[in-house]
Amino acid sequence: MARTQKNKATAYHLGQLRAKLAKLKRELIAPSSGGGGGGGMGFDVARTGIASVGFVGFPSVGKSTLMSGLTGTTSEAAAYEFTTLTTVPGTMTVRGARIQILDLPGIIEGAKDGKGRGRQVIAVARTCNLIFIVLDVGKPLRDKQILESELEGFGIRLNKKPPNVIVKKKDKGGLAITNTVPLTKLDHDEIRAVMSEYRIANADVAFREDVSVEELIDVIEGNRIYIPCIYVLNKIDSISIEELDLLYKIPNSVPISSRMWLNVDELVDRMWDELNLVRVYTKPRKSPPDYTSPVVLRRGRCTVEDFCNAIHREIFRQFKCAVVWGTSAKHPRGQRVGGDHVLEDEDCVTIFKR
């Protein structure tokens, strides 16, 4: 692929090679992830809380020290490498929401190919709602590139959204390719080559954004995980202010010191924003709202019905209507709504039964 010139004559050939490469990578990963679990003793973690955050990084970058400080859970920390050999779970409460923190063992280059139990570590990372890539400020860019490559090789896409491409298979009629935006990164020959490699002869392919061949392959494979990521640049107590200013230019990064506990508050605030959680307060009739223990929902699954089910599944079966106060309500005195009403952060809700 590196030796092939990219032009219209070679587009079909290159598209076919990229698709073959993606299929071979999938077959390489399949044996270890086919069971569907965390992948081995010490890697099966019971889910607690509304969301989970996984710490990924090389050995001895300060993951265990940060984990212990955030959760109070003892994760062994020492000056030598590979102190943590299994997944250590802990829980922290942020703005009334219980969030699970997973301290994963340090991974090494080649983890996606099975080195150093890397596959098991990355398999657990796939189940997280947010990933913290913990980096040493001494060599952040090189380590960042290697870790991203390891996670990408295991089907994890960091800080990306699923491509807006629809592939609808049909029984006959050949390939019908439509696009609502100009395609600058691939042409029809490459699309046909990829489809041919996946033995899709009859399908409607609709492009609603300009995507690359790799993104088209991701859509066809259908097993990619899209996870937000924060780059935690640890050990800032060992660098100068000028170097710290340069670190802030790395996108989605938060410089901290887990040893001296510097700037961790900013990290927790960024974590809350990335997790995209919605707090909803219950308001009993003729009583003030209960602000002490919010019902925490995930954005995209925060309707009144989701709110009822989060308290108890029986509630919605007897549901008549609800009155909502807050950002999602049209009136300051409250709005009467049905089960499909979408709630916003810090809304107050009163449920009426039949």
Side-chain angles (χ1 to χ4, degrees), residues 105-118:
I107 63 174
I108 57 175
E109 195 169 354
K112 65 178 184 293
D113 304 321
K115 287 186 184 176
R117 299 190 80 182

Side-chain angles (χ1 to χ4, degrees), residues 271-285:
M271 177 181 75
W272 177 264
D273 293 340
E274 290 293 342
L275 285 173
N276 227 347
L277 300 177
V278 176
R279 293 162 293 171
V280 183
Y281 302 106
T282 54
K283 184 186 180 303
R285 271 184 269 185

Side-chain angles (χ1 to χ4, degrees), residues 170 174-179 183 187-193 195 203-207:
K170 54 188 182 181
L175 282 178
I177 301 167
T178 57
N179 54 291
L183 299 178
D187 57 31
H188 283 216
D189 281 343
E190 284 178 297
I191 298 166
R192 291 181 190 283
M195 292 297 173
D204 292 326
V205 188
F207 291 87

Side-chain angles (χ1 to χ4, degrees), residues 10-37:
T10 60
Y12 187 92
H13 173 65
L14 281 170
Q16 210 164 27
L17 286 177
R18 284 200 175 93
K20 277 182 180 173
L21 194 61
K23 284 169 73 177
L24 290 167
K25 282 180 180 175
R26 188 220 311 151
E27 287 167 20
L28 197 66
I29 292 165
S32 65
S33 59

Side-chain angles (χ1 to χ4, degrees), residues 34-68:
M41 184 70 83
F43 289 88
D44 297 319
V45 180
R47 293 296 292 269
T48 59
I50 187 68
S52 61
V53 178
F55 287 9
V56 174
F58 286 116
S60 297
V61 290
K63 299 189 298 298
S64 299
T65 308
L66 180 59
M67 157 87 168
S68 301

Side-chain angles (χ1 to χ4, degrees), residues 68-94:
S68 301
L70 288 172
T71 65
T73 305
T74 305
S75 181
E76 193 180 342
Y80 54 87
E81 294 192 346
F82 298 106
T83 316
T84 306
L85 295 173
T86 61
T87 301
V88 180
T91 307
M92 66 182 292
T93 303
V94 183

